[in-house]
Structures are given as structure tokens and as C-alpha cells.
Amino acid sequence: MDIIVLVKQVPDTTEVKLDPKTGNLIREGVESIINPDDLHALEAAVDLQETHGGKVTALSMGPPQAIDAISEALGMGVHEGILLTDKAFGGADTWATSFTLGKAIEKIEEYDLILCGRQAIDGDTAQIGPQVADYLNIPQVSYVCEIETIEEDALVAKTRLEDGFERIHCGLPALLTVIGELNTPRYPLMGRALDACKEKAPIKVWNAADIGVQTSQVGLEGSLTHVIKTFAPKFKRETEMLEGDTREMVGDLMGRLKENRLI
Amino acid sequence: MIRSNSEALIRKIMATFVDKELIPRAQEIDEKGEFPMEMFQEIGKMRVFGIRYPKKGGGSGGNTTLYCIICEELARGLMSVAAVTAMQCLMGTNFLFHFGTDALRETYFLPAMGGEKIACFCLTEAEAGSDLGNVSTSAIRTKDGYLLNGMKSWVTNGPVADFYTILCQTDPAKKFKGLNFFFVPRETPGLSIGKPFDLLGTRTTPISELALTDVHIPCEHMLGQEGRGMSNLLSILAEIRAMTAALAIGLQQAALDDSIRYAHERAQFGSTISNYQLIQAKVANMATDLEASRLLTYKATHMVDEKIPCLKEASMAKYFSTEAACRAGDEITRIFGAYAYSMEYSAQRYYRDNRFLLYGGGTHEILQPNIARWVGL
Ligand SMILES: Cc1cc2nc3c(=O)[nH]c(=O)nc-3n(C[C@H](O)[C@H](O)[C@H](O)COP(=O)(O)OP(=O)(O)OC[C@H]3O[C@@H](n4cnc5c(N)ncnc54)[C@H](O)[C@@H]3O)c2cc1C
Ligand SMILES: Cc1cc2nc3c(=O)[nH]c(=O)nc-3n(C[C@H](O)[C@H](O)[C@H](O)COP(=O)(O)OP(=O)(O)OC[C@H]3O[C@@H](n4cnc5c(N)ncnc54)[C@H](O)[C@@H]3O)c2cc1C
């Protein structure tokens, strides 16, 4: 079972503040982390590999410092890391990103399964997984919360829907996007993480030429969409105090949460 | 060649672990006052305990700087968890690793690296604290081994440890040259473990006395060449002091972080107290102490890693960083006002736990005259 995991390095948004004037994210001094959903994808891949054998490759597109995401993935037990980094990749929208990742996956060639997180906490689009599957023309299952069975040429995955679950049988190779319920990610092992820092670590760094793309096809130039402005939504918060005894207040609260489709 | 910086990477991994797993449980673990077994095993699973041992010996292939980074990060979460980790990585396992037989290493060292066995280190006795020359626990040569008799005190992890590295006197006439380390597994007949002390700080790190009554051990349980006990101890003394300094840095960082957060939240006289210059002065002093502690400590750890003698630098780091941690523990209890006096908030813990750093690795009354001597007095 050869598995590719798509990993994105993102700013730790639990620490991120918005500039009150511009509404932009203040990224200075903010730690970069592996996108939380991607940790679950990594865990699933390493776990599957441990039972079924094969090779796990972590693939990431990002600036050179995204190497830390690759190193952490190697620390978790991934066999090989590939960092796609090139000035030309900068400013990519989800289309250009999926295209770039797709090209790299074609270059990797051998794979049975591609795992990625449902969505990245900085962009929140949830588009990359499905678009990569579309580019590669392989089946996709999104919002996977359990991989029930897996065989040489097919798997059964359970996915989370708004109001229940769905059990999906799917041929391989396939792409799954996974959610946090799937598992508890392990922490990297010290020795493995240290090995990842060494020159002879199993890490490849590819640029645009390495994956055979023109700079016009990738990054900002290759993007079909352009962000005009980022801003913080203005919430008009209204506080309302519930009244009555605990039973009444809880009943009232539950009613309103349901009414607003929050639960 | 694009590669991660190992120090930054290990710090990041540990910081994530501390933020996600340790800090949210720190108060609860501390209140419970029991050895934090679950946390210890989680840390073991990450192969942290092998950080300063080479890979081919069962370690993780790191060095002293990485070890100290880990100690610092864990101490930012909870001093007692950092303390047992520090013990497991260095003093508790060092002599076994370097001088134990293959069989002993297989049975005790390797499981200890994964957190399956707990290590400890026994120097101190009732009459031998700073003055180790006074150690009187005796190891008498028999025809097939050694017979140990005596009493150790202040044994960190004593109540829960699986094996003990014990400093004994083989020949009182030889004084320091008669001091040697011996390896004693917990199940050895004649070894009895006292009940845990009731402690001021690091309350989940159990400490006890250890009584040895006709404990018979085979010859190969002497760890190190006869007569070299003290010089072998000296060979890790700089590392012990740098580690203690790193623990102190972690406490300072935690106290600083919590102070800043509290000062931003707490309003009095119509403004958050962060706007008052006297509060700013405290935070500025804590931050400056912290920066200086880091510079001293990691200078020393890098010297250890480069095998440059640095007992002076490590002693200065231990002395300065620990005193700074004591100041930080004091300042935070002022910034928190009355809430520092409540067991519900973190401030009280930093105030108590900083004392842990004062004694091990040399008291400051011992370090100061040494430093003075090293600089020419
Ligand atoms: C939390 C904790 C954990 C510990 N864990 C361990 C452990 O795992 N293993 C172990 O072996 N020990 C351990 N110890 C013991 C520790 O190593 C001793 O406390 C330390 O060596 C100091 O000895 P003492 O406490 O007997 O103090 P003493 O040596 O009695 O000192 C008392 C006071 O006199 C001062 N003093 C002593 N001699 C001089 C001098 N020549 N000049 C000036 N002042 C002097 C000291 O600085 C101190 O202020 C631990 C202690 C604590 C508090
Ligand atoms: C053991 C104990 C017993 C107590 N018993 C009683 C009692 O019986 N009855 C009772 O009413 N209260 C009692 N208190 C509360 C006590 O009076 C308050 O703790 C005290 O007034 C300080 O207020 P605070 O703790 O809210 O600190 P805060 O006022 O919040 O102060 C927090 C920090 O900000 C600083 N600060 C605040 N304002 C300024 C400023 N303008 N400029 C510079 N720095 C500033 C403070 O010095 C402190 O460092 C008790 C407290 C304790 C710890």
C-alpha cells in the first residue's frame, strides 16, 4: 500500500490576530504548524502502512520553511518527504495549487491512496483534495471519519454528513479527505525528527522545472481567481440574558440553538 | 540543501506537546500529587529519554543542547514532569549506559529509554549533602561481589524507581578515591524504600529515603572503573548544571507568559494593570532575566556539545537562571495580587516550584565561591 499524504504548513491561527486597521492577518511572530486535519491524514497513512506495508510519502507545496512540516511528518513515521518550492508557486489559488500537486503526484507515479486533510485552517476552502482527485481522474471520498476496510484494490470508508454517516465503497487508487474524528495523531519521535534534519534525509525538493510546469501555469500567474481584499467580518453581537430557573434556561437555550440550526 | 534546524524543530515539537498535553493538565497533575505515570509514558513513547544518547546505543541521537531545550519546554508546562524527565535522560541512566554490561543495558537501559522503567540517582545522605566526601554508605568487597550498607536520602523517584545508581564508599581511607557508583535493581533483597516525603514544590515527583541492609550485588554492578566514581560524576556535572538552568528558564517563561496575560486582563482604577509602570517594570525585569538566562545556558550547552570544558559557564548559568526563576516566582505573585495566594491559579505553583532548582547540582553558596575562584580570586 503506497500512500501519498498532502501536507500544508499553516500559521497557527489560534495565535493569529487581525490588524484592527487593515483586517489582514498579522503573521509576524506566529508559529507555523502542520494543518490540523493533515495530522490526521498523516496518522492514518502511517497506521495503514504499519499494518499493510508499503511506503508513505508526504508532499507539500510551500516556501522553504515548510520543510519543518516535512520533517515533522518524517518524525511521525513517513518514509519520504517532497517539498515543492519555487518562487513561481507563490500566490497560487486552489486551482493552481491542485494542478501543481497533481503534477508532482504524476511524477511520483506509484500510489494506491492519497490522503489529505478536509481543509486548511488558513484558507478554509476544502477544495484542494477534491480538485487533486479531479485532476488525477481518480475517485474521491471526502469527510472520512473511519476507514473501515482496505484491500488491494478497494476500501470502505465512513464519512460524516451533516445529519449522519455514509458508508462508501471505493476502488483504488483513490483520494480521501479526512476529519479529526478519524484518529489521534501521534507525536513525532525525537530520533526520527533529528534524522529528518540531516543532509542525507529522504527529502526531495522540487521546483517548477522538476515537475515539468511552466511558471505561467502555476502560482499567481496560473491562478484563475484573485483575492481582492481580506477583511474580518463585523459581528454585531447582541447579548441576551436568559431568565428563569436552570431547567427553564437550559430548555430555552436548547430551543434557540436548534432554531438557529447550531445543533 | 533545505533542511530543518534541529534545535528549532525539537523545540517546536516539544512546545506543541507541552501546550496541548501538559499545560491543560498541569494543575490537575500537581494537585493529585502522584507520580505522573501517564505523562511519563507519553514522553517515553516520543523517545525523549534517549535524546542525549547515540542511536546505536538505543538513544535518539541528540545532544545536550537538545536535551536542555526539552527540559526547558517541559518545565514551562510543569516542573515536576520536567524534573523526572531530566532525571531519566541524564543522572538516572548515564552510568548504566556508559559502564553497565550489555545484559544490564538490555534489561534496564533500553526499557528506560521508552519510559517502561524508571531511573533514579542516589548521592545524598543525612550527613552528606553538599559535602559528598562524607558519603558513608559502604560497599564491601566479598568473594563474588559487593555488600552494600547504609542510608540514602532525597532520592528523586525513589518510591517508584525500577533501578538505582548509588554512590558508595569502598574504602574510607581513600576518601574521594574510594567513592564508586553501584547499580541496584529495585527487587534486590535488602533494599527498602521509605515513604514519600511531603514536599513544598514539585509535588508529583516522589522523593524518599533508601535503606540498604546487606544488599548483595555481583561485581559487574560496579558502574565505572574502581576509584573513578567522583571523576565520572564530574564529567557530567556541567551538564547537570546546564540542565538545571534550562529547567529554570522554563519556569521563568511560564511565569512571564502568565504575568503578561493576567496584566492584560486585570483592570483596576479604570485601566488594565498592564498600563501601570510598576507592573511594566516587573515584566521588563522578568523578560530581561529570561533573555540573559537563555544566553548563559545555551552558551554552556553548546560548549558541552563541542566538548569544551565549561564547568564555570554552566555553574554561572545554573546560578543566574535559578535566581532569576526565584525572582520570577516572586514577581508573579505580586502581579496576580490576591489571586496568587489562591491554589486555583498558576502563580502559587511557580512560587513553590522554583525552590526545587536551588539545591540539586550544587547550592549557590557552593557555586559562588567556586565561580569566584575560577575568575581568579
Ligand atoms: C527536590 C529535591 C530533589 C533532590 N533529588 C536528589 C536526588 O535525586 N538524589 C540525590 O542524591 N540528592 C537529591 N537531592 C538532594 C540535594 O542534592 C541536596 O539537597 C544538595 O546536595 C544540598 O545538600 P543539603 O540539602 O544536605 O544541604 P547542606 O549541604 O546541608 O547545606 C545547607 C546549607 O549550607 C550551605 N553550605 C553547605 N556547605 C557550605 C560551604 N562549604 N560553604 C557555604 N555554604 C555551605 C548550603 O549552601 C545550604 O545553604 C534533592 C534535593 C531536593 C530538594
Ligand atoms: C490572604 C488574603 C486575605 C485577604 N483578606 C481580605 C479581607 O478580609 N477582606 C477584603 O476585603 N479583602 C481581603 N483580601 C483582598 C486584598 O485586600 C486584595 O488582595 C488587595 O486589595 C489587592 O487587590 P487585588 O488582589 O485584587 O490585586 P489588584 O488590585 O488586582 O492588583 C494586581 C496588581 O496590580 C498592581 N496595581 C493595581 N493598581 C495599580 C496601580 N494603580 N499602579 C500600579 N500597580 C497597580 C498591584 O500592585 C498588583 O501588583 C485578602 C487577600 C489575601 C491574599
Side-chain angles (χ1 to χ4, degrees):
Chain A
M1 176 79 37
D2 289 342
I3 306 173
I4 298 171
V5 188
L6 305 184
V7 179
K8 184 179 187 187
Q9 191 182 53
V10 295
D12 187 353
T13 45
T14 54
E15 288 177 28
V16 167
K17 294 192 181 70
L18 290 177
D19 185 318
K21 285 196 193 96
T22 63
N24 289 339
L25 292 181
I26 305 173
R27 296 203 183 209
E28 283 95 75
V30 176
E31 277 282 334
S32 294
I33 57 169
I34 292 182
N35 179 50
D37 281 345
D38 303 358
L39 287 173
H40 298 279
L42 284 165
E43 174 63 34
V46 174
D47 186 52
L48 283 172
Q49 193 278 332
E50 281 168 354
T51 18
H52 300 276
K55 180 180 174 188
V56 181
T57 304
L59 174 65
S60 185
M61 182 182 97
Q65 57 267 30
I67 190 69
D68 282 354
I70 297 280
S71 302
E72 275 189 60
L74 284 165
M76 288 173 75
V78 160
H79 301 104
E80 188 182 45
I82 300 172
L83 177 65
L84 302 176
T85 195
D86 195 314
K87 281 220 166 61
F89 296 152
D93 69 356
T94 65
W95 193 89
T97 303
S98 311
F99 172 74
T100 312
L101 291 169
K103 280 285 183 191
I105 293 168
E106 282 176 345
K107 181 169 165 141
I108 297 170
E109 225 173 322
E110 296 280 314
Y111 62 90
D112 302 293
L113 187 62
I114 301 173
L115 294 177
C116 46
R118 170 196 50 177
Q119 68 190 48
I121 54 171
D122 58 347
D124 276 331
T125 69
Q127 289 169 0
I128 295 297
Q131 284 177 178
V132 168
D134 187 59
Y135 174 84
L136 295 169
N137 204 17
I138 57 172
Q140 55 170 296
V141 184
S142 52
Y143 287 72
V144 170
C145 61
E146 194 185 335
I147 298 170
E148 291 189 347
T149 58
I150 187 156
E151 282 150 32
E152 218 168 281
D153 53 3
L155 60 75
V156 175
K158 197 166 144 190
T159 74
R160 155 84 64 209
L161 302 178
E162 216 165 305
D163 49 0
F165 296 101
E166 203 167 58
R167 181 172 283 120
I168 296 178
H169 182 275
C170 160
L172 293 179
L175 181 146
L176 312 185
T177 81
V178 308
I179 60 174
E181 267 170 70
L182 182 65
N183 53 35
T184 308
R186 68 194 69 190
Y187 282 91
L189 302 192
M190 295 293 117
R192 282 198 187 137
L194 290 174
D195 283 346
C197 301
K198 293 186 181 142
E199 212 174 302
K200 59 175 196 294
I203 297 175
K204 291 175 185 155
V205 180
W206 289 346
N207 61 21
D210 291 323
I211 55 169
V213 296
Q214 305 294 321
T215 54
S216 61
Q217 296 173 287
V218 296
L220 196 59
E221 266 194 80
S223 293
L224 304 179
T225 59
H226 293 272
V227 177
I228 297 164
K229 188 183 170 198
T230 323
F231 58 93
K234 287 207 171 49
F235 290 113
K236 272 212 202 115
R237 274 197 203 161
E238 275 177 40
T239 308
E240 202 180 326
M241 301 307 285
L242 302 177
E243 282 172 23
D245 65 20
T246 311
R247 187 167 290 277
E248 286 165 1
M249 285 193 288
V250 170
D252 194 350
L253 179 64
M254 292 299 283
R256 285 163 192 247
L257 289 175
K258 282 198 184 126
E259 200 178 299
N260 287 296
R261 299 183 135 265
L262 290 168
I263 52 173
Chain B
M1 178 73 52
I2 302 176
R3 288 293 180 266
S4 295
N5 173 284
S6 59
E7 292 176 15
L9 186 70
I10 294 300
R11 184 182 286 283
K12 189 174 191 174
I13 292 170
M14 288 316 292
T16 307
F17 176 81
V18 167
D19 289 335
K20 278 201 196 161
E21 314 292 336
L22 186 51
I23 290 179
R25 282 191 258 169
Q27 177 86 1
E28 179 203 326
I29 294 174
D30 188 58
E31 276 171 10
K32 221 165 161 199
E34 288 166 11
F35 183 80
M37 189 59 95
E38 210 183 309
M39 196 55 72
F40 183 80
Q41 285 170 345
E42 277 184 53
I43 294 168
K45 265 199 241 157
M46 293 166 73
R47 310 301 296 187
V48 161
F49 301 139
I51 193 68
R52 49 178 291 290
Y53 296 115
K55 270 212 153 155
K56 65 174 182 323
S60 295
N63 58 25
T64 299
T65 301
L66 296 167
Y67 167 53
C68 288
I69 287 171
I70 289 170
C71 288
E72 180 197 326
E73 283 300 325
L74 289 172
R76 184 170 65 78
L78 184 59
M79 185 60 78
S80 55
V81 166
V84 297
T85 303
M87 173 60 71
Q88 188 84 356
C89 295
L90 176 57
M91 297 85 79
T93 50
N94 185 72
F95 294 85
L96 174 61
F97 174 77
H98 286 291
F99 309 114
T101 59
D102 287 350
L104 283 182
R105 277 206 296 258
E106 179 92 11
T107 317
Y108 295 98
F109 179 79
L110 294 181
M113 291 298 97
E116 291 140 37
K117 286 202 190 300
I118 302 172
C120 68
F121 193 50
C122 320
L123 307 175
T124 305
E125 298 176 4
E127 304 301 325
S130 303
D131 181 9
L132 283 182
N134 217 26
V135 160
S136 67
T137 296
S138 60
I140 306 297
R141 187 70 218 244
T142 62
K143 68 177 185 320
D144 58 349
Y146 289 89
L147 200 62
L148 275 42
N149 275 289
M151 185 89 160
K152 289 290 171 181
S153 194
W154 288 97
V155 181
T156 293
N157 287 350
V160 292
D162 295 291
F163 58 89
Y164 301 78
T165 300
I166 306 178
L167 186 67
C168 299
Q169 180 57 264
T170 51
D171 181 357
K174 289 192 188 154
K175 297 224 157 177
F176 280 110
K177 288 250 150 80
L179 292 171
N180 290 289
F181 285 101
F182 292 88
F183 180 81
V184 182
R186 186 187 186 93
E187 57 278 5
T188 313
L191 189 73
S192 67
I193 294 141
K195 82 175 199 321
F197 295 173
D198 194 9
L199 301 168
L200 170 70
T202 55
R203 289 182 60 83
T204 78
T205 308
I207 293 181
S208 69
E209 290 183 325
L210 192 68
L212 299 108
T213 317
D214 291 335
V215 172
H216 190 259
I217 49 163
C219 291
E220 66 269 20
H221 282 213
M222 180 189 269
L223 298 176
Q225 204 186 321
E226 170 143 25
R228 298 197 54 86
M230 285 316 271
S231 64
N232 288 336
L233 178 60
L234 195 64
S235 74
I236 55 164
L237 192 56
E239 215 178 341
I240 294 174
R241 290 184 179 163
M243 169 272 287
T244 313
L247 294 175
I249 294 173
L251 187 138
Q252 291 178 57
Q253 182 74 61
L256 177 66
D257 292 346
D258 289 5
S259 294
I260 292 170
R261 200 172 308 123
Y262 189 79
H264 275 308
E265 282 166 11
R266 177 68 173 168
Q268 287 288 280
F269 303 102
S271 156
T272 59
I273 60 171
S274 59
N275 289 322
Y276 299 129
Q277 287 183 346
L278 286 171
I279 297 294
Q280 290 165 0
K282 293 183 203 309
V283 168
N285 289 344
M286 288 162 94
T288 307
D289 267 351
L290 175 58
E291 186 73 16
S293 300
R294 280 222 168 87
L295 292 173
L296 280 170
T297 303
Y298 289 105
K299 174 180 175 182
T301 67
H302 284 119
M303 289 174 80
V304 173
D305 287 332
E306 282 157 35
K307 304 205 165 29
I308 302 168
C310 61
L311 195 54
K312 179 183 83 179
E313 288 75 7
S315 304
M316 287 173 164
K318 194 269 174 182
Y319 168 48
F320 183 85
S321 185
T322 296
E323 291 294 347
C326 293
R327 288 193 288 273
D330 183 53
E331 294 290 35
I332 189 173
T333 57
R334 297 165 193 267
I335 294 171
F336 268 56
Y339 301 90
Y341 205 65
S342 156
M343 296 307 276
E344 263 183 58
Y345 290 79
S346 60
Q348 50 81 21
R349 203 174 67 231
Y350 307 138
Y351 188 73
R352 290 182 292 110
D353 281 354
N354 65 37
R355 307 331 271 182
F356 165 79
L357 303 160
L358 282 171
Y359 317 105
T363 65
H364 298 181
E365 295 75 12
I366 298 292
L367 297 187
Q368 282 169 290
N370 279 329
I371 293 168
R373 198 159 44 77
W374 290 324
V375 298
L377 200 66

